[in-house]
Amino acid sequence: PTDTRQLVVQIWYPTDDTTKLERASYCPHLRELARDFQYYEVLGLATMSTHAYLDAALSSKQPKFPVIVFSPGANSVVGFYTSILEELASHGYIIVAMDHVYEGRGQILPSGQLTDTVFEKQQPDPAAPNAETAMAEYYRKFVDIRAADAHSVLDQLETLNKSDKRFAGRLDLEHVGVLGHSIGGVAAAQAAKIDKRFKAAANL
């Protein structure tokens, strides 16, 4: 009651020069998050590499770039989708990917705190009476939370576009889409319904 929920966001974008930059990991903070992953997920993610680099300058090839806000599937983290997100960035989009705090497998906050997930722990009992209705209502609650997260992120992008050292004036906020996978895809459609600044939505 006395705290404010934080939202963890990663941003992919086109760049012109990666000289002397550190290559980004496929799934950031994998070691810390591994407690909630299957062993084969950890093994697979640890062997994957990216074409992305940390703290690169935004490309100068065009004055502004269209934006895509991304929401992952249930009980997943953004790190599972790195190949898709950097592929989209390579085609000239700025991708803003949300890790919905207290969902997924946990997140690392800027303070270094590892959050817990409530999504699986609070799901209705599938054997209970009216379980199907209860589950639908439960998922709808998280769809609405995710849609509200996307709305909040878009508010923050408007602020970034005014004053941020890297992104000021470079975000084409007249051309913003929202993309999601699974429950994130349903949330993408809901986000476009409640916020007309999203001009397109896609459910992967």
Side-chain angles (χ1 to χ4, degrees):
T2 61
D3 201 3
T4 301
R5 177 172 169 267
Q6 298 182 60
L7 191 65
V8 178
V9 173
Q10 297 176 49
I11 303 179
W12 281 260
Y13 50 87
T15 189
D16 301 327
D17 184 13
T18 58
T19 306
K20 297 181 180 178
L21 294 180
E22 179 185 353
R23 191 182 289 265
S25 62
Y26 193 92
C27 184
H29 305 294
L30 178 59
R31 179 175 296 179
E32 295 93 331
L33 296 173
R35 65 172 194 180
D36 294 319
F37 288 9
Q38 299 293 333
Y39 76 93
Y40 54 84
E41 292 174 327
V42 176
L43 291 175
L45 290 167
T47 63
M48 294 180 183
S49 60
T50 70
H51 301 90
Y53 292 82
L54 299 176
D55 203 32
L58 183 57
S59 173
S60 60
K61 290 182 178 177
Q62 59 193 65
K64 294 183 178 182
F65 294 90
V67 177
I68 298 174
V69 176
F70 176 76
S71 178
N75 209 34
S76 294
V77 296
V78 165
F80 283 18
Y81 300 86
T82 294
S83 60
I84 295 172
L85 303 179
E86 66 175 21
E87 170 70 14
L88 288 169
S90 77
H91 290 279
Y93 294 94
I94 292 176
I95 314 300
V96 183
M98 305 175 291
D99 263 320
H100 303 277
V101 173
Y102 308 123
E103 280 197 63
R105 316 287 182 92
Q107 296 82 28
I108 301 291
L109 300 180
S111 65
Q113 176 189 351
L114 176 60
T115 70
D116 202 0
T117 177
V118 300
F119 183 79
E120 280 200 321
K121 296 176 181 178
Q122 295 182 358
Q123 284 192 26
D125 180 359
N130 300 317
E132 186 173 338
T133 299
M135 190 67 77
E137 292 175 352
Y138 183 76
Y139 269 79
R140 178 56 188 259
K141 178 178 77 170
F142 282 95
V143 165
D144 288 341
I145 289 171
R146 285 167 174 248
D149 283 348
H151 170 81
S152 179
V153 164
L154 194 44
D155 287 344
Q156 293 300 315
L157 292 179
E158 290 184 342
T159 300
L160 279 182
N161 209 31
K162 293 175 182 176
S163 59
D164 184 75
K165 181 174 68 174
R166 178 175 288 117
F167 295 111
R170 307 297 308 280
L171 305 175
D172 183 355
L173 297 182
E174 295 300 314
H175 296 89
V176 183
V178 56
L179 167 69
H181 170 233
S182 193
I183 189 176
V186 180
Q190 180 66 7
K193 181 179 179 181
I194 67 172
D195 190 333
K196 299 307 180 185
R197 293 175 296 175
F198 289 113
K199 299 300 195 298
N203 180 349
L204 180 63

